[in-house]
């Protein structure tokens, strides 16, 4: 599976962005998918995941929504009410199973990152 993340950019605080993670090589309709971010000088943080359920980190709960469009073989991360602390490189990842995990080491496929910058 090859994953291509896109949709990042520069946005003012309070604004919105939608990240996309397009998969190729095989369908991801039965794969758990996740979004992980890494800010400069900080450890990677698991942000959201979708599988048999959905998961959100407390820091993004109520502002971010993860979804999937199986017809387009794509997973999305809708990010609203963005804050400067959301600034990071965002990566998408896929597991071989349907059961999601918040442990990034359990993800088998990774896309390249997309930069999100939120200005104050």
């Amino acid at each position: 599976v090859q994953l291509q993340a896109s949709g990042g950019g520069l946005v003012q605080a309070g604004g919105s962005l939608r990240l996309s993670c397009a998969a190729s090589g095989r369908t991801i309709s039965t794969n758990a998918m996740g979004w992980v971010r890494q800010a400069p000088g900080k450890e990677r943080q698991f942000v959201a995941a979708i599988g048999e359920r959905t998961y959100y980190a407390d820091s993004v709960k109520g502002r971010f929504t993860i979804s999937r469009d199986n017809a387009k073989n794509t997973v999305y991360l809708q990010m609203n009410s963005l804050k400067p602390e959301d600034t990071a490189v965002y990566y998408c990842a896929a597991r071989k199973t349907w059961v999601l995990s918040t442990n990034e080491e359990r993800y088998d496929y990774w896309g390249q990152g997309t930069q999100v910058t939120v200005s104050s």
Side-chain angles (χ1 to χ4, degrees):
V1 175
Q2 291 79 46
L3 303 176
Q4 179 77 34
S6 62
L10 173 63
V11 64
Q12 288 188 331
S16 297
L17 283 173
R18 188 178 77 159
L19 305 184
S20 299
C21 177
S24 59
R26 53 155 287 181
T27 178
I28 56 167
S29 62
T30 57
N31 295 75
M33 302 292 295
W35 287 94
V36 175
R37 69 186 180 186
Q38 186 164 26
K42 295 187 178 181
E43 293 186 354
R44 292 209 289 193
Q45 178 192 21
F46 210 98
V47 174
I50 185 168
E52 81 287 11
R53 59 186 175 91
T54 56
Y55 163 85
Y56 298 97
D58 287 343
S59 58
V60 306
K61 204 171 290 184
R63 300 188 298 122
F64 289 12
T65 302
I66 189 170
S67 63
R68 64 198 311 156
D69 184 335
N70 291 334
K72 294 183 178 180
N73 218 27
T74 299
V75 173
Y76 302 99
L77 185 67
Q78 178 67 43
M79 306 186 295
N80 298 329
S81 302
L82 282 163
K83 304 175 181 180
E85 51 263 43
D86 294 318
T87 295
V89 177
Y90 284 71
Y91 300 89
C92 63
R95 293 198 74 191
K96 291 181 178 178
T97 74
W98 176 245
V99 178
L100 70 82
S101 173
T102 59
N103 182 345
E104 61 189 73
E105 295 182 0
R106 295 185 177 180
Y107 283 75
D108 303 289
Y109 309 103
W110 289 84
Q112 90 297 352
T114 185
Q115 176 71 48
V116 172
T117 303
V118 184
S119 63
S120 57

